PDB file of all heavy atoms in Angstrom:
ATOM      1  N   ARG P 133      -3.336  77.268  43.161  1.00  0.00           N
ATOM      2  CA  ARG P 133      -4.627  77.770  42.668  1.00  0.00           C
ATOM      3  C   ARG P 133      -5.795  77.027  43.324  1.00  0.00           C
ATOM      4  O   ARG P 133      -6.852  77.608  43.568  1.00  0.00           O
ATOM      5  CB  ARG P 133      -4.708  77.626  41.147  1.00  0.00           C
ATOM      6  CG  ARG P 133      -4.108  78.788  40.402  1.00  0.00           C
ATOM      7  CD  ARG P 133      -4.608  78.867  38.966  1.00  0.00           C
ATOM      8  NE  ARG P 133      -4.485  77.612  38.259  1.00  0.00           N
ATOM      9  CZ  ARG P 133      -3.475  77.275  37.464  1.00  0.00           C
ATOM     10  NH1 ARG P 133      -2.491  78.110  37.277  1.00  0.00           N
ATOM     11  NH2 ARG P 133      -3.463  76.103  36.864  1.00  0.00           N
ATOM     12  N   ALA P 134      -5.602  75.738  43.626  1.00  0.00           N
ATOM     13  CA  ALA P 134      -6.676  74.935  44.222  1.00  0.00           C
ATOM     14  C   ALA P 134      -6.940  75.304  45.676  1.00  0.00           C
ATOM     15  O   ALA P 134      -8.091  75.261  46.121  1.00  0.00           O
ATOM     16  CB  ALA P 134      -6.343  73.447  44.112  1.00  0.00           C
ATOM     17  N   VAL P 135      -5.889  75.619  46.409  1.00  0.00           N
ATOM     18  CA  VAL P 135      -6.031  75.972  47.832  1.00  0.00           C
ATOM     19  C   VAL P 135      -5.193  77.228  48.130  1.00  0.00           C
ATOM     20  O   VAL P 135      -4.235  77.194  48.898  1.00  0.00           O
ATOM     21  CB  VAL P 135      -5.632  74.798  48.766  1.00  0.00           C
ATOM     22  CG1 VAL P 135      -6.679  73.707  48.751  1.00  0.00           C
ATOM     23  CG2 VAL P 135      -4.273  74.232  48.406  1.00  0.00           C
ATOM     24  N   PRO P 136      -5.591  78.370  47.548  1.00  0.00           N
ATOM     25  CA  PRO P 136      -4.764  79.583  47.664  1.00  0.00           C
ATOM     26  C   PRO P 136      -4.613  80.095  49.094  1.00  0.00           C
ATOM     27  O   PRO P 136      -3.637  80.787  49.406  1.00  0.00           O
ATOM     28  CB  PRO P 136      -5.494  80.602  46.784  1.00  0.00           C
ATOM     29  CG  PRO P 136      -6.899  80.109  46.718  1.00  0.00           C
ATOM     30  CD  PRO P 136      -6.807  78.606  46.797  1.00  0.00           C
ATOM     31  N   GLU P 137      -5.554  79.745  49.955  1.00  0.00           N
ATOM     32  CA  GLU P 137      -5.446  80.209  51.340  1.00  0.00           C
ATOM     33  C   GLU P 137      -4.392  79.432  52.125  1.00  0.00           C
ATOM     34  O   GLU P 137      -3.985  79.867  53.207  1.00  0.00           O
ATOM     35  CB  GLU P 137      -6.806  80.156  52.046  1.00  0.00           C
ATOM     36  CG  GLU P 137      -7.423  78.779  52.142  1.00  0.00           C
ATOM     37  CD  GLU P 137      -8.178  78.311  50.893  1.00  0.00           C
ATOM     38  OE1 GLU P 137      -8.022  78.883  49.815  1.00  0.00           O
ATOM     39  OE2 GLU P 137      -8.925  77.332  51.021  1.00  0.00           O
ATOM     40  N   TYR P 138      -3.936  78.314  51.589  1.00  0.00           N
ATOM     41  CA  TYR P 138      -2.955  77.480  52.296  1.00  0.00           C
ATOM     42  C   TYR P 138      -1.631  77.301  51.549  1.00  0.00           C
ATOM     43  O   TYR P 138      -0.598  77.137  52.172  1.00  0.00           O
ATOM     44  CB  TYR P 138      -3.544  76.095  52.597  1.00  0.00           C
ATOM     45  CG  TYR P 138      -4.709  76.158  53.529  1.00  0.00           C
ATOM     46  CD1 TYR P 138      -6.007  75.994  53.063  1.00  0.00           C
ATOM     47  CD2 TYR P 138      -4.527  76.416  54.887  1.00  0.00           C
ATOM     48  CE1 TYR P 138      -7.090  76.078  53.923  1.00  0.00           C
ATOM     49  CE2 TYR P 138      -5.603  76.505  55.745  1.00  0.00           C
ATOM     50  CZ  TYR P 138      -6.882  76.336  55.259  1.00  0.00           C
ATOM     51  OH  TYR P 138      -7.946  76.421  56.119  1.00  0.00           O
ATOM     52  N   ALA P 139      -1.662  77.289  50.237  1.00  0.00           N
ATOM     53  CA  ALA P 139      -0.453  76.976  49.469  1.00  0.00           C
ATOM     54  C   ALA P 139       0.084  78.214  48.761  1.00  0.00           C
ATOM     55  O   ALA P 139      -0.676  79.040  48.255  1.00  0.00           O
ATOM     56  CB  ALA P 139      -0.747  75.880  48.449  1.00  0.00           C
ATOM     57  N   ARG P 140       1.403  78.302  48.742  1.00  0.00           N
ATOM     58  CA  ARG P 140       2.056  79.372  47.984  1.00  0.00           C
ATOM     59  C   ARG P 140       3.270  78.807  47.274  1.00  0.00           C
ATOM     60  O   ARG P 140       3.833  77.804  47.695  1.00  0.00           O
ATOM     61  CB  ARG P 140       2.407  80.551  48.876  1.00  0.00           C
ATOM     62  CG  ARG P 140       3.628  80.354  49.740  1.00  0.00           C
ATOM     63  CD  ARG P 140       4.023  81.620  50.468  1.00  0.00           C
ATOM     64  NE  ARG P 140       3.222  81.763  51.656  1.00  0.00           N
ATOM     65  CZ  ARG P 140       3.620  82.399  52.744  1.00  0.00           C
ATOM     66  NH1 ARG P 140       4.778  82.990  52.782  1.00  0.00           N
ATOM     67  NH2 ARG P 140       2.854  82.452  53.800  1.00  0.00           N
ATOM     68  N   LEU P 141       3.656  79.489  46.223  1.00  0.00           N
ATOM     69  CA  LEU P 141       4.757  79.061  45.378  1.00  0.00           C
ATOM     70  C   LEU P 141       5.849  80.112  45.394  1.00  0.00           C
ATOM     71  O   LEU P 141       5.565  81.302  45.239  1.00  0.00           O
ATOM     72  CB  LEU P 141       4.255  78.846  43.946  1.00  0.00           C
ATOM     73  CG  LEU P 141       5.291  78.579  42.858  1.00  0.00           C
ATOM     74  CD1 LEU P 141       6.042  77.276  43.118  1.00  0.00           C
ATOM     75  CD2 LEU P 141       4.615  78.537  41.484  1.00  0.00           C
ATOM     76  N   TYR P 142       7.079  79.656  45.616  1.00  0.00           N
ATOM     77  CA  TYR P 142       8.232  80.536  45.450  1.00  0.00           C
ATOM     78  C   TYR P 142       9.063  79.971  44.299  1.00  0.00           C
ATOM     79  O   TYR P 142       9.450  78.803  44.334  1.00  0.00           O
ATOM     80  CB  TYR P 142       9.088  80.616  46.718  1.00  0.00           C
ATOM     81  CG  TYR P 142      10.259  81.542  46.512  1.00  0.00           C
ATOM     82  CD1 TYR P 142      10.108  82.903  46.690  1.00  0.00           C
ATOM     83  CD2 TYR P 142      11.495  81.062  46.088  1.00  0.00           C
ATOM     84  CE1 TYR P 142      11.163  83.776  46.453  1.00  0.00           C
ATOM     85  CE2 TYR P 142      12.547  81.921  45.855  1.00  0.00           C
ATOM     86  CZ  TYR P 142      12.375  83.271  46.033  1.00  0.00           C
ATOM     87  OH  TYR P 142      13.413  84.138  45.788  1.00  0.00           O
ATOM     88  N   GLU P 143       9.307  80.810  43.311  1.00  0.00           N
ATOM     89  CA  GLU P 143      10.113  80.390  42.172  1.00  0.00           C
ATOM     90  C   GLU P 143      11.505  81.014  42.263  1.00  0.00           C
ATOM     91  O   GLU P 143      11.637  82.223  42.330  1.00  0.00           O
ATOM     92  CB  GLU P 143       9.451  80.804  40.864  1.00  0.00           C
ATOM     93  CG  GLU P 143       8.145  80.091  40.612  1.00  0.00           C
ATOM     94  CD  GLU P 143       7.542  80.433  39.266  1.00  0.00           C
ATOM     95  OE1 GLU P 143       8.280  80.386  38.261  1.00  0.00           O
ATOM     96  OE2 GLU P 143       6.343  80.742  39.232  1.00  0.00           O
ATOM     97  N   PHE P 144      12.507  80.141  42.267  1.00  0.00           N
ATOM     98  CA  PHE P 144      13.885  80.616  42.224  1.00  0.00           C
ATOM     99  C   PHE P 144      14.185  81.026  40.790  1.00  0.00           C
ATOM    100  O   PHE P 144      14.107  80.191  39.880  1.00  0.00           O
ATOM    101  CB  PHE P 144      14.861  79.516  42.656  1.00  0.00           C
ATOM    102  CG  PHE P 144      14.760  79.168  44.111  1.00  0.00           C
ATOM    103  CD1 PHE P 144      13.933  78.145  44.539  1.00  0.00           C
ATOM    104  CD2 PHE P 144      15.486  79.870  45.052  1.00  0.00           C
ATOM    105  CE1 PHE P 144      13.832  77.814  45.878  1.00  0.00           C
ATOM    106  CE2 PHE P 144      15.394  79.558  46.403  1.00  0.00           C
ATOM    107  CZ  PHE P 144      14.563  78.529  46.816  1.00  0.00           C
ATOM    108  N   PRO P 145      14.514  82.293  40.571  1.00  0.00           N
ATOM    109  CA  PRO P 145      14.723  82.744  39.190  1.00  0.00           C
ATOM    110  C   PRO P 145      16.010  82.176  38.581  1.00  0.00           C
ATOM    111  O   PRO P 145      17.032  82.041  39.265  1.00  0.00           O
ATOM    112  CB  PRO P 145      14.808  84.263  39.322  1.00  0.00           C
ATOM    113  CG  PRO P 145      15.180  84.522  40.736  1.00  0.00           C
ATOM    114  CD  PRO P 145      14.661  83.359  41.546  1.00  0.00           C
ATOM    115  N   GLU P 146      15.886  81.799  37.338  1.00  0.00           N
ATOM    116  CA  GLU P 146      17.043  81.437  36.517  1.00  0.00           C
ATOM    117  C   GLU P 146      17.831  80.213  36.984  1.00  0.00           C
ATOM    118  O   GLU P 146      19.016  80.100  36.687  1.00  0.00           O
ATOM    119  CB  GLU P 146      17.999  82.640  36.378  1.00  0.00           C
ATOM    120  CG  GLU P 146      17.365  83.860  35.756  1.00  0.00           C
ATOM    121  CD  GLU P 146      16.810  83.594  34.363  1.00  0.00           C
ATOM    122  OE1 GLU P 146      17.522  83.013  33.531  1.00  0.00           O
ATOM    123  OE2 GLU P 146      15.654  83.972  34.114  1.00  0.00           O
ATOM    124  N   ILE P 147      17.189  79.314  37.736  1.00  0.00           N
ATOM    125  CA  ILE P 147      17.885  78.080  38.094  1.00  0.00           C
ATOM    126  C   ILE P 147      16.997  76.888  37.770  1.00  0.00           C
ATOM    127  O   ILE P 147      15.796  77.028  37.540  1.00  0.00           O
ATOM    128  CB  ILE P 147      18.311  78.026  39.587  1.00  0.00           C
ATOM    129  CG1 ILE P 147      17.108  77.967  40.514  1.00  0.00           C
ATOM    130  CG2 ILE P 147      19.226  79.188  39.929  1.00  0.00           C
ATOM    131  CD1 ILE P 147      17.476  77.595  41.930  1.00  0.00           C
ATOM    132  N   GLY P 148      17.618  75.721  37.797  1.00  0.00           N
ATOM    133  CA  GLY P 148      16.902  74.496  37.484  1.00  0.00           C
ATOM    134  C   GLY P 148      16.356  73.814  38.723  1.00  0.00           C
ATOM    135  O   GLY P 148      15.831  74.445  39.635  1.00  0.00           O
ATOM    136  N   HIS P 149      16.547  72.515  38.782  1.00  0.00           N
ATOM    137  CA  HIS P 149      15.958  71.665  39.802  1.00  0.00           C
ATOM    138  C   HIS P 149      16.632  71.782  41.171  1.00  0.00           C
ATOM    139  O   HIS P 149      15.979  71.649  42.191  1.00  0.00           O
ATOM    140  CB  HIS P 149      16.032  70.214  39.309  1.00  0.00           C
ATOM    141  CG  HIS P 149      15.389  69.221  40.210  1.00  0.00           C
ATOM    142  ND1 HIS P 149      14.022  69.085  40.316  1.00  0.00           N
ATOM    143  CD2 HIS P 149      15.922  68.310  41.047  1.00  0.00           C
ATOM    144  CE1 HIS P 149      13.737  68.131  41.176  1.00  0.00           C
ATOM    145  NE2 HIS P 149      14.866  67.641  41.640  1.00  0.00           N
ATOM    146  N   ALA P 150      17.914  72.022  41.184  1.00  0.00           N
ATOM    147  CA  ALA P 150      18.689  71.904  42.428  1.00  0.00           C
ATOM    148  C   ALA P 150      18.889  73.258  43.105  1.00  0.00           C
ATOM    149  O   ALA P 150      20.005  73.747  43.239  1.00  0.00           O
ATOM    150  CB  ALA P 150      20.030  71.230  42.138  1.00  0.00           C
TER     151      ALA P 150
END
Side-chain angles (χ1 to χ4, degrees):
R133 274 200 309 264
V135 287
E137 61 278 16
Y138 296 105
R140 77 173 82 152
L141 172 63
Y142 181 84
E143 294 184 48
F144 291 92
E146 301 301 311
I147 66 167
H149 184 75

